Amino acid sequence: MTDLVELEKQLLWHPFTPMQAWCAQDHEPLLLTSAQGCKLVDQHGRSYLDGNSSIWTNIHGHNHPTINASIKNQLGKVAHTSFLGFSHEPAIQLAEKLIGLLPNSPLKRVFYSDNGSTAIECAVRMALQYWKQNGHPKRDTIVSFDRAYHGDTLGAASLGGIPLFKGSGNDFGYPTQRVSNLDVLQSMDTQQTEHLAAVIIEPLIQGSAGMQLWPRGMLSALSSWCQKRNIFLILDEVMTGFGRTGTMFACQQEEVSPDFLCLAKGFTGGYLPMAATLTTTRVFDGFQDTDKTFYYGHSYTGSQLGCAAALGNLQVFEEERTLDSLPSKIEHLRNELDRLSKKASVREVRQCGLIAGIELSPPSMIEAWGAKICLQARKHGLLTRPIGNTVVLMPPLATSLKEISEMVEAIALSLDDLA
Ligand SMILES: *Cc1c(COP(=O)(O)O)cnc(C)c1O
């Protein structure tokens, strides 16, 4: 195992990871070797609760028999075929199920891609191309919010409002405008709004900003504002989709139906990279003529294995009545977090469904306090990652009440250890 760790440090480069510290002599990377339910096991056989759903992707726990079976069944037929020029049954069944989850919405078309960033870029490109070829070439600007996060590819990153994640880039290839809140939009005059192609937002809660909640009602007010001005609304539900906030999709809590709905992370239950951009018949109809075709796609668009995993994910939602189990878990998490928020070392606790951000009050002069607390939490059997000084707690929806308590307790103990 030591050899493996040496090799790992010699060969690999990790996302969002300062590599000098990673490769330092005294850092031993955790190699995760197996998992069951909400528990992950490392190279030494130690087990941990998956406190951030394996970077916000896992839904029904790991090694779930239904999703495993769905993938194995597909694997016995064919793993991947091109979606350019061909189709297949899992993709069709999945689209029918997805549209069926939004019965009262005009979202009627499904475009597959591979990850959250591509789901976003796809929506942005559809929106821009739609206006350009349907008589509104002036509508060329995409509005996003301060502290937004929509992914890391250049196109998605240019919508981001978190400087750290924007890298050295600025805005790539299309005009963007960042606003701090809805008031700024509402104070715009026609001269300004007639240039807007779309507004993009993470509904209810901004994830990478450190789990920041939007005020209740903001989403529906934004939706009406957009509708009145003929501006598209793009909802980034890459994090919030698939039950994370208590409903299947966050937008359902304010009865909002966007022009584009972007899904990824939990789409396959945390099994395979797969994404979808849902849109309306109106948008689809703007691409009918041959010279208006949407020339966009990726090699693995509509992956058969990905579709099979996503179908398995939705099957578990039905069979285990996952959404019905959420209110008591959300309530339980709220009660447990309440204990944390009373600690002097905690500045604020924010929660939306089964998503929580525990903002710490770091002792002065100490850097990367959130990271230190998360490292300490490993000793108490919890794996999660901070965003700055906010510890993220986002348990898989399948987490039991007891496991939720254990996760919060691990954070409480870590805070006490380092107090
Ligand atoms: C993770 C995330 C993305 C990007 O998804 P990737 O699959 O990492 O490209 C986009 N938007 C939100 C809200 C996310 O949380």
Side-chain angles (χ1 to χ4, degrees), residues 313-349:
N313 177 42
L314 294 180
Q315 188 183 337
V316 181
F317 267 104
E318 284 169 26
E319 288 174 358
E320 296 184 0
R321 307 189 63 80
T322 306
L323 292 180
D324 296 345
S325 76
L326 294 181
S328 60
K329 291 183 184 183
I330 292 167
E331 179 64 22
H332 186 68
L333 178 61
R334 191 174 310 279
N335 293 334
E336 293 290 28
L337 288 172
D338 247 6
R339 295 193 299 135
L340 277 189
S341 58
K342 295 197 178 88
K343 285 184 179 291
S345 48
V346 173
R347 178 169 294 154
E348 186 180 60
V349 173

Side-chain angles (χ1 to χ4, degrees), residues 56 115-118 120 149-152 202 208 236 238-239 264-265:
W56 316 354
N115 57 64
S117 306
T118 56
I120 299 297
Y149 177 77
H150 299 293
D152 291 328
E202 296 156 83
S208 299
D236 178 350
V238 171
M239 175 185 80
K265 290 200 169 102

Side-chain angles (χ1 to χ4, degrees), residues 31 41 73 128 148 165 196 237 243 246 249 274 319 329 342 347 388 395 401 403:
L31 311 187
V41 180
N73 173 48
L128 293 175
F165 299 152
L196 304 184
E237 292 231 27
F249 302 110
M274 171 89 186
E319 288 174 358
K329 291 183 184 183
K342 295 197 178 88
R347 178 169 294 154
L401 298 184
E403 287 168 327

Side-chain angles (χ1 to χ4, degrees), residues 380-395:
H380 299 291
L382 175 73
L383 292 188
T384 190
R385 265 180 82 87
I387 297 168
N389 281 320
T390 298
V391 174
V392 173
L393 192 59
M394 196 189 298

